Amino acid sequence: VNFIIAALVAFYSQTSLGQSSYVSETDRQLTIKKLAVLPATDNVNGLLSRYIDTKIKQLVRRDHRFDLAEVENTEVKKPEGYQRDPNLIKRLGKPIGADGLILGQVNKTAKGLEVILQLYLVSDGLLFIQETLAGPEKFNTADLEKLTEDTFNHLIDHIPYRGLVLSRQGNRVT
């Protein structure tokens, strides 16, 4: 009897007006509500990375789709360190309730600036999206912040959904 009651409760909790409501595992993974920003890196001894850290946090706070979670006591690692260790992403993101972690990297090259942003999903710990933009050869802080904002916007534009998937019927999403 308890099994039948549990089955009926599960069935009715997934139906609305006679239509079943379904959210796939992929939809669940791609629903990003809360982001955290990992400490950024650069190739000039931390001179530029602090600017993009601050800017990325500001952009996440400003975007109505995301809440910002704070990662504490995290050592600065190169992107390869996160790519090689998906469990590290999970260990950093799960305790703070983050769905995704953003890692920033800025490089000063002979051709100018290069800003690289990577978005990792906490659910599987893997790199989901990477965006790279190049900037001017001669630059100031405002140029770096503008390039970071443009890179962030391109990164976020690659997320398949601009909202929350509440249910799915075939290709129809609500």
Side-chain angles (χ1 to χ4, degrees):
V1 175
N2 288 340
F3 174 74
I4 294 171
I5 293 172
L8 288 173
V9 168
F11 173 76
Y12 284 111
S13 68
Q14 292 185 356
T15 59
S16 172
L17 301 175
Q19 298 178 2
S20 64
S21 174
Y22 170 72
V23 178
S24 73
E25 184 58 32
T26 303
D27 292 334
R28 219 177 326 281
Q29 280 188 316
L30 298 180
T31 299
I32 301 172
K33 298 176 187 174
K34 189 181 277 191
L35 290 171
V37 179
L38 296 169
T41 63
D42 63 28
N43 61 352
V44 288
N45 296 323
L47 183 65
L48 301 175
S49 60
R50 64 179 178 209
Y51 292 107
I52 69 169
D53 268 346
T54 303
K55 187 63 179 180
I56 296 168
K57 288 177 183 178
Q58 178 188 43
L59 292 166
V60 170
R61 277 188 198 102
R62 197 171 68 193
D63 194 309
H64 71 279
R65 293 177 285 179
F66 309 113
D67 292 326
L68 179 66
E70 292 290 337
V71 177
E72 295 184 21
N73 301 328
T74 304
E75 63 183 70
V76 177
K77 288 186 178 253
K78 296 282 184 190
E80 301 81 34
Y82 294 106
Q83 291 172 3
R84 281 191 298 253
D85 190 1
N87 288 324
L88 176 60
I89 297 294
K90 293 176 187 179
R91 283 193 312 270
L92 292 172
K94 286 189 183 204
I96 58 172
D99 301 306
L101 302 178
I102 296 179
L103 175 64
Q105 182 179 10
V106 59
N107 296 316
K108 184 175 180 319
T109 67
K111 294 181 180 181
L113 282 178
E114 178 184 65
V115 173
I116 303 166
L117 296 182
Q118 298 177 332
L119 175 60
Y120 292 86
L121 294 179
V122 173
S123 59
D124 60 9
L126 300 176
L127 177 62
F128 179 54
I129 303 170
Q130 177 175 307
E131 188 65 44
T132 305
L133 290 181
E137 184 176 339
K138 295 185 179 191
F139 62 91
N140 59 28
T141 305
D143 295 329
L144 176 59
E145 288 182 357
K146 175 69 171 123
L147 185 61
T148 302
E149 182 171 355
D150 292 345
T151 309
F152 177 83
N153 290 333
H154 285 185
L155 180 84
I156 298 306
D157 284 345
H158 283 89
I159 297 174
Y161 306 125
R162 292 182 186 257
L164 302 177
V165 175
L166 300 176
S167 71
R168 169 183 293 280
Q169 253 185 345
N171 289 332
R172 288 183 49 211
V173 177
T174 57

